Amino acid sequence: MQRLQGIAVSPGVAIGEALVMGNEGFRIPRRFVTRDAVETELDRLHHALASSAEQIERNRDAIAHELGRQYAAIFEAHLTMLRDARLVDELDQLIRERQYSPEYAVSRVLRRYAKVFQQLDNSLMAERANDIFDIEQRILSNLVGRRREEFSKLESPVLILAHNLTPSETANLSREFVRGFVTEIGGAGSHTAIVAEALAIPAVVGVGNFLADVSGGDMVIIDGNQGLVILRPDEETIARYRQEAEAGRTRAEQLGQLRDLPAQTLDGTRIDLFGNIEFPNEVPACLERGADGIGLFRTEFLYLGSEFAPNEQDQFEAYKSVAEQMQGRPVTIRTLDLGADKVMPGRPDDEKNPFLGLRSIRLSLRNLPLFRTQLKAILRASPYGKLRIMFPLISTIMELRQARMILSDVMEDLDEHGVQFDRNMPVGMMVEVPAAVIMIDRFVEEVDFLSIGTNDLIQYTLAVDRSNKDVANLYTGSDPAVLKLIDMAVTAANKAQIPVELCGQMSGNPIYTMLLLGMGLRQMSVAPAAIPEIKKVIRSVNIAQCEVVAKKVMHLENARDVKSYLKDELNRLFPTDES
Ligand code: PEP
Ligand code: MG
């Protein structure tokens, strides 16, 4: 049994068989062969080893010819390893004596070798582990051949263990069979983490190197509450976690009883509790939990979740479907927030600082046909419900004006063609760049509502990459600088009497609920799974009490004190809860 600590990004407990995603996405399940098949399987292994050696020789010769012998040395090293009698003997033995499948034997042995290199206190040596992974992948590809099982074509429940999953890979995970995932890299604010929450599957990211320690088919527990991963757990641990999973289900059922009750404080202040979605099929999850509307529809996932870019009609249908399903409740559609970590598969990734690069509204403004198509689709869908439109990552007034101008232009076009749309559809902006907060008094004069995106606001305020595990300890909404900016935005909106919501992950974390209410926030938009818990906090407090909390917090000077004070306050509110 081995315990690994990572960053908890999506709550819950999952217990099951591992599906290890190597660089090429091979599935390496723990399989055994029958005694009768041992000789044939040994033949298959030797065949694969021979083919791998031939391919490496060809690569060696080609590189030697192009660049010279010294560059071919790397392949020579691969060949030496592949022909190492000790390695081949060990593989033979595992197949003959333990009846492992050749795939499983190769994966197990080579991953053990790679781990030895990784543990050497020498970065050059540690990099050699990649050579071993390379050899492993080559042998596997020769062994598996056409039997390679595609990631998306799973047939039984699995827990995915991967070095990294991009947001689009995560969005494409099989909802039926993927019960949780763990990645070696990634941070709490990454879109991969956000999608995990949307899928409502337990997930842990930023665990560090561990793939060399597991094989496909190994039993694994993912504890998405504590950020723990347990490889090959013993019976006692499995039993304990089964109990915990059961307790989680009971708790969810109890919270489910809040569904039809309003998100209202004890003194009668009504809070709008909205859901965040990436796809139209998440709407039922919001309705089941009694969402007051959709506070954030991340439309870029329509691009990330499919092989082909959606055309105007595809987008129109998606927006119309959400508007109709929500039956008159407000739906905020955010225009494309592509770029940074949300890139379409196969797109070259050549930006040095993608989070500071051509992303989001900047990308839309540089690509007017793309932007206009989306605006048209949103406007066409507007008569089918209560839509609002929102621009992401606005940093300057000029950007906002430019986006609004294009919107007016598209409206004129639709008018000319006699297309119906809601002319008074509210237009808002996301507040997720410190510059926007600094200039917020100007912005509130030019928009109908604000939506605070703390996921980005935290990273841009504190200069901390939201998806980097190595700085994850610095990435926190508890930082007083972040809280000051949120407070400024909420105050400015309230003064200008325009609605303001908070749609970053912070509003789905119950430790912040009292603070945000105390700051004067009356609209929150959270992952659907978080709605019941946040509603429970809202229904258990009064505004005066929250204002005391906010006042106290705004006098604290560091994130640690803020977090520990807020946790204590929440524990005081629900003394028996574990949270
Ligand atoms: C945010 O930045 O807080 C936000 C809601 O947008 P996203 O997470 O999609 O960047
Ligand atoms: Mg954002």
Side-chain angles (χ1 to χ4, degrees):
M1 183 160 99
Q2 192 178 345
R3 292 160 73 90
L4 307 160
Q5 183 67 53
I7 304 166
V9 292
S10 182
V13 168
I15 306 170
E17 272 198 11
L19 165 51
V20 181
M21 297 297 304
N23 293 340
E24 291 184 31
F26 279 109
R27 182 176 187 186
I28 313 150
R30 182 165 54 180
R31 294 277 180 266
F32 298 93
V33 297
T34 59
R35 193 153 286 288
D36 300 348
V38 163
E39 291 308 321
T40 335
E41 292 296 309
L42 281 170
D43 264 3
R44 205 158 67 80
L45 171 73
H46 288 242
H47 231 86
L49 291 173
S51 308
S52 303
E54 273 168 33
Q55 290 158 1
I56 296 173
E57 276 171 355
R58 274 202 299 277
N59 286 346
R60 178 198 60 191
D61 296 345
I63 291 291
H65 179 72
E66 293 276 326
L67 299 173
R69 294 194 67 78
Q70 68 275 32
Y71 288 96
I74 172 119
F75 295 108
E76 209 56 72
H78 283 199
L79 275 174
T80 309
M81 169 138 195
L82 198 60
R83 289 173 173 149
D84 175 26
R86 223 185 72 181
L87 169 72
V88 180
D89 273 356
E90 193 172 352
L91 293 173
D92 282 357
Q93 223 173 4
L94 286 175
I95 298 171
R96 205 181 284 286
E97 287 167 20
R98 298 224 198 156
Q99 287 167 247
Y100 282 179
S101 72
E103 287 88 347
Y104 184 54
V106 165
S107 160
R108 201 161 180 115
V109 171
L110 288 178
R111 273 164 192 261
R112 207 186 66 234
Y113 284 19
K115 195 175 169 200
V116 174
F117 279 97
Q118 279 177 334
Q119 282 171 342
L120 292 175
D121 202 11
N122 173 334
S123 63
L124 256 179
M125 277 299 177
E127 273 178 26
R128 292 278 77 84
N130 287 335
D131 289 331
I132 299 183
F133 288 132
D134 201 40
I135 296 171
E136 180 209 9
Q137 293 298 329
R138 185 178 296 283
I139 306 173
L140 286 174
S141 76
N142 281 304
L143 269 174
V144 183
R146 264 189 265 125
R147 282 196 274 159
R148 173 181 170 161
E149 280 180 71
E150 287 291 338
F151 197 23
S152 52
K153 289 184 196 135
L154 300 171
E155 283 163 4
S156 56
V158 287
L159 309 187
I160 304 250
L161 311 183
H163 175 63
N164 187 25
L165 287 175
T166 64
S168 69
E169 281 169 338
T170 314
N172 287 311
L173 290 178
S174 151
R175 281 159 201 247
E176 195 182 349
F177 295 121
V178 176
R179 299 288 154 86
F181 72 78
V182 184
T183 59
E184 291 188 322
I185 64 172
S190 65
H191 285 95
T192 299
I194 288 169
V195 177
E197 223 186 338
L199 296 173
I201 54 174
V204 176
V205 302
V207 172
N209 292 344
F210 79 102
L211 289 182
D213 301 349
V214 278
S215 299
D218 279 359
M219 189 67 157
V220 173
I221 295 175
I222 301 177
D223 176 348
N225 304 318
Q226 306 295 329
L228 267 176
V229 181
I230 303 171
L231 308 178
R232 296 174 293 278
D234 57 29
E235 286 305 318
E236 194 189 325
T237 310
I238 295 178
R240 188 161 49 79
Y241 269 101
R242 289 228 158 95
Q243 256 176 10
E244 193 168 312
E246 187 51 40
R249 279 191 286 274
T250 312
R251 211 164 107 85
E253 267 167 35
Q254 282 166 355
L255 284 170
Q257 293 162 5
L258 296 177
R259 185 187 120 149
D260 298 320
L261 297 173
Q264 187 169 306
T265 58
L266 294 172
D267 52 296
T269 306
R270 183 68 165 87
I271 308 301
D272 288 318
L273 191 49
F274 301 136
N276 290 346
I277 62 166
E278 285 71 34
F279 297 101
N281 64 11
E282 289 173 76
V283 172
C286 294
L287 290 172
E288 276 158 26
R289 294 172 175 90
D292 293 311
I294 302 295
L296 170 64
F297 181 0
R298 290 184 165 98
T299 58
E300 57 280 2
F301 280 88
L302 297 176
Y303 280 75
L304 299 177
S306 84
E307 256 177 77
F308 306 101
N311 60 23
E312 184 188 318
Q313 187 62 19
D314 299 332
Q315 292 189 55
F316 161 71
E317 274 160 21
Y319 307 147
K320 175 171 170 259
S321 144
V322 175
E324 286 181 336
Q325 290 183 73
M326 290 308 290
Q327 299 163 8
R329 296 178 188 85
V331 172
T332 303
I333 302 194
R334 178 175 75 181
T335 63
L336 293 175
D337 189 39
L338 284 170
D341 61 342
K342 290 184 280 197
V343 284
M344 286 191 272
R347 210 176 154 268
D349 168 16
D350 51 5
E351 283 186 306
K352 282 264 186 327
N353 286 305
F355 276 109
L356 302 182
L358 189 61
R359 67 170 289 211
S360 198
I361 192 70
R362 301 171 187 176
L363 195 124
S364 293
L365 292 175
R366 285 280 187 93
N367 193 337
L368 290 186
L370 175 98
F371 194 34
R372 291 176 66 95
T373 301
Q374 180 172 38
L375 295 176
K376 239 186 239 176
I378 298 173
L379 287 166
R380 280 177 54 205
S382 61
Y384 295 91
K386 196 169 167 195
L387 295 193
R388 309 197 301 176
I389 188 166
M390 168 161 91
F391 302 122
L393 208 82
I394 294 287
S395 322
T396 67
I397 282 277
M398 293 316 287
E399 242 166 20
L400 173 66
R401 289 186 186 155
Q402 218 181 328
R404 292 206 69 143
M405 222 166 66
I406 295 159
L407 179 65
S408 305
D409 199 51
V410 173
M411 284 182 173
E412 263 178 44
D413 256 18
L414 292 183
D415 260 342
E416 273 173 28
H417 289 88
V419 178
Q420 297 285 312
F421 62 90
D422 175 8
R423 196 167 305 279
N424 298 316
M425 183 170 55
V427 179
M429 63 177 264
M430 289 206 59
V431 178
E432 44 189 351
V433 180
V437 183
I438 292 165
M439 299 300 288
I440 201 70
D441 291 338
R442 295 285 171 80
F443 282 109
V444 291
E445 289 169 5
E446 304 198 19
V447 287
D448 301 315
F449 67 94
L450 298 181
S451 184
I452 305 173
T454 43
N455 304 338
D456 277 312
L457 188 61
I458 297 169
Q459 83 164 343
Y460 294 128
T461 305
L462 301 174
V464 175
D465 182 339
R466 60 193 273 187
S467 50
N468 182 342
K469 76 176 174 58
D470 297 327
V471 287
N473 61 323
L474 302 173
Y475 181 87
T476 170
S478 292
D479 193 282
V482 176
L483 296 177
K484 218 172 207 176
L485 293 179
I486 297 173
D487 191 50
M488 280 167 72
V490 173
T491 306
N494 287 343
K495 191 166 152 223
Q497 297 188 332
I498 60 168
V500 51
E501 66 168 28
L502 197 151
C503 65
Q505 301 296 94
M506 246 179 109
S507 60
N509 183 343
I511 71 163
Y512 294 115
T513 312
M514 277 190 272
L515 168 64
L516 295 173
L517 293 176
M519 282 178 173
L521 191 79
R522 298 291 178 263
Q523 295 186 335
M524 302 182 194
S525 194
V526 306
I531 292 176
E533 190 154 21
I534 300 301
K535 192 188 271 188
K536 181 177 162 195
V537 181
I538 292 171
R539 291 182 58 81
S540 310
V541 296
N542 63 58
I543 294 292
Q545 160 192 17
C546 295
E547 284 171 353
V548 172
V549 169
K551 198 159 171 206
K552 166 85 185 175
V553 166
M554 297 314 273
H555 280 100
L556 297 175
E557 60 177 21
N558 67 66
R560 200 191 54 199
D561 290 352
V562 170
K563 204 172 271 172
S564 98
Y565 170 72
L566 291 177
K567 275 189 180 163
D568 286 351
E569 285 299 304
L570 191 65
N571 286 337
R572 264 171 18 137
L573 200 59
F574 306 116
T576 53
D577 276 15
E578 283 165 34
S579 57

Short mmCIF file of all heavy atoms in Angstrom, two decimals, residues 60 72 81 106 108 126 236 267 278 297 327 359 368 436 440 488 490 548:
data_model
loop_
_atom_site.label_atom_id
_atom_site.label_comp_id
_atom_site.label_asym_id
_atom_site.label_seq_id
_atom_site.Cartn_x
_atom_site.Cartn_y
_atom_site.Cartn_z
N ARG A 60 18.36 4.60 -35.58
CA ARG A 60 19.78 4.86 -35.34
C ARG A 60 20.50 5.15 -36.65
O ARG A 60 21.20 6.14 -36.79
CB ARG A 60 20.42 3.65 -34.65
CG ARG A 60 21.91 3.80 -34.40
CD ARG A 60 22.55 2.46 -34.13
NE ARG A 60 22.36 1.55 -35.27
CZ ARG A 60 22.63 0.25 -35.22
NH1 ARG A 60 23.04 -0.29 -34.10
NH2 ARG A 60 22.45 -0.52 -36.29
N ALA A 72 23.51 9.30 -32.85
CA ALA A 72 22.84 7.99 -32.89
C ALA A 72 23.09 7.18 -31.62
O ALA A 72 22.47 6.15 -31.40
CB ALA A 72 23.32 7.22 -34.12
N MET A 81 19.81 -1.86 -23.90
CA MET A 81 18.85 -2.17 -22.85
C MET A 81 17.85 -3.24 -23.31
O MET A 81 17.55 -4.19 -22.59
CB MET A 81 18.13 -0.88 -22.49
CG MET A 81 16.98 -1.13 -21.62
SD MET A 81 16.85 0.08 -20.34
CE MET A 81 15.70 -0.81 -19.32
N VAL A 106 5.87 -6.32 -19.18
CA VAL A 106 6.73 -5.26 -19.71
C VAL A 106 6.51 -3.97 -18.93
O VAL A 106 7.46 -3.31 -18.47
CB VAL A 106 6.42 -5.02 -21.23
CG1 VAL A 106 7.02 -3.70 -21.70
CG2 VAL A 106 6.95 -6.18 -22.06
N ARG A 108 5.25 -3.51 -15.97
CA ARG A 108 5.64 -3.60 -14.57
C ARG A 108 7.16 -3.51 -14.40
O ARG A 108 7.66 -2.74 -13.59
CB ARG A 108 5.12 -4.93 -14.02
CG ARG A 108 5.02 -4.88 -12.57
CD ARG A 108 4.13 -5.88 -11.93
NE ARG A 108 4.23 -5.60 -10.51
CZ ARG A 108 3.22 -5.18 -9.79
NH1 ARG A 108 2.06 -5.04 -10.30
NH2 ARG A 108 3.39 -4.94 -8.51
N ALA A 126 17.78 11.29 -13.80
CA ALA A 126 16.32 11.20 -13.70
C ALA A 126 15.70 11.27 -15.10
O ALA A 126 14.69 10.62 -15.38
CB ALA A 126 15.78 12.30 -12.81
N GLU A 236 -8.43 -3.42 4.99
CA GLU A 236 -8.97 -2.56 6.04
C GLU A 236 -9.21 -1.14 5.50
O GLU A 236 -10.24 -0.52 5.77
CB GLU A 236 -7.94 -2.53 7.18
CG GLU A 236 -8.46 -1.97 8.46
CD GLU A 236 -7.31 -1.78 9.45
OE1 GLU A 236 -6.37 -2.60 9.45
OE2 GLU A 236 -7.38 -0.77 10.19
N ASP A 267 -32.50 36.06 8.07
CA ASP A 267 -33.22 37.34 8.15
C ASP A 267 -34.03 37.62 6.89
O ASP A 267 -34.53 38.72 6.70
CB ASP A 267 -32.25 38.48 8.42
CG ASP A 267 -31.10 38.50 7.45
OD1 ASP A 267 -30.31 37.54 7.44
OD2 ASP A 267 -31.00 39.43 6.66
N GLU A 278 -20.54 23.75 -18.48
CA GLU A 278 -19.68 23.73 -19.67
C GLU A 278 -20.44 23.20 -20.88
O GLU A 278 -20.10 23.51 -22.02
CB GLU A 278 -18.44 22.84 -19.43
CG GLU A 278 -17.39 23.46 -18.52
CD GLU A 278 -17.83 23.54 -17.07
OE1 GLU A 278 -18.55 22.62 -16.64
OE2 GLU A 278 -17.49 24.50 -16.37
N PHE A 297 -22.05 30.00 -18.37
CA PHE A 297 -21.99 28.92 -19.36
C PHE A 297 -20.67 29.12 -20.09
O PHE A 297 -20.48 30.08 -20.83
CB PHE A 297 -23.20 29.04 -20.30
CG PHE A 297 -23.28 27.97 -21.38
CD1 PHE A 297 -22.34 26.96 -21.51
CD2 PHE A 297 -24.34 27.98 -22.29
CE1 PHE A 297 -22.43 25.99 -22.50
CE2 PHE A 297 -24.45 27.02 -23.29
CZ PHE A 297 -23.49 26.03 -23.40
N GLN A 327 -36.26 27.27 -18.40
CA GLN A 327 -37.64 27.74 -18.24
C GLN A 327 -37.78 29.13 -17.60
O GLN A 327 -38.40 29.28 -16.55
CB GLN A 327 -38.41 26.74 -17.40
CG GLN A 327 -38.48 25.37 -18.03
CD GLN A 327 -38.88 24.30 -17.01
OE1 GLN A 327 -39.26 24.60 -15.90
NE2 GLN A 327 -38.80 23.07 -17.42
N ARG A 359 -5.58 35.16 -25.46
CA ARG A 359 -6.65 34.30 -24.96
C ARG A 359 -7.94 35.12 -24.82
O ARG A 359 -7.91 36.34 -24.81
CB ARG A 359 -6.29 33.65 -23.61
CG ARG A 359 -6.17 34.61 -22.45
CD ARG A 359 -6.06 33.87 -21.09
NE ARG A 359 -7.31 33.24 -20.69
CZ ARG A 359 -7.70 33.06 -19.42
NH1 ARG A 359 -6.93 33.46 -18.43
NH2 ARG A 359 -8.84 32.49 -19.13
N LEU A 368 -12.61 38.09 -35.85
CA LEU A 368 -13.99 38.58 -35.88
C LEU A 368 -15.00 37.60 -36.47
O LEU A 368 -16.12 37.50 -35.96
CB LEU A 368 -14.05 39.93 -36.60
CG LEU A 368 -13.40 41.07 -35.79
CD1 LEU A 368 -13.61 42.40 -36.48
CD2 LEU A 368 -13.93 41.12 -34.37
N ALA A 436 -9.07 45.71 -14.28
CA ALA A 436 -10.52 45.96 -14.38
C ALA A 436 -11.06 46.42 -13.02
O ALA A 436 -11.96 47.27 -12.95
CB ALA A 436 -11.23 44.70 -14.84
N ILE A 440 -12.81 49.97 -11.93
CA ILE A 440 -14.18 49.44 -11.88
C ILE A 440 -15.25 50.55 -11.91
O ILE A 440 -16.34 50.35 -12.45
CB ILE A 440 -14.37 48.49 -10.67
CG1 ILE A 440 -15.56 47.56 -10.90
CG2 ILE A 440 -14.46 49.20 -9.36
CD1 ILE A 440 -15.36 46.53 -11.94
N MET A 488 -13.81 45.63 -3.57
CA MET A 488 -13.92 46.85 -4.39
C MET A 488 -14.95 46.65 -5.50
O MET A 488 -15.77 47.53 -5.78
CB MET A 488 -12.56 47.17 -5.05
CG MET A 488 -11.58 47.86 -4.11
SD MET A 488 -9.90 47.87 -4.82
CE MET A 488 -10.10 49.07 -6.13
N VAL A 490 -17.48 44.44 -5.65
CA VAL A 490 -18.84 44.29 -5.11
C VAL A 490 -19.38 45.67 -4.69
O VAL A 490 -20.51 46.04 -5.02
CB VAL A 490 -18.86 43.30 -3.91
CG1 VAL A 490 -20.23 43.27 -3.25
CG2 VAL A 490 -18.47 41.90 -4.38
N VAL A 548 -20.14 40.97 10.32
CA VAL A 548 -19.11 40.95 11.38
C VAL A 548 -17.91 40.12 10.89
O VAL A 548 -16.76 40.52 11.04
CB VAL A 548 -19.71 40.36 12.69
CG1 VAL A 548 -18.61 40.15 13.73
CG2 VAL A 548 -20.82 41.25 13.23
#
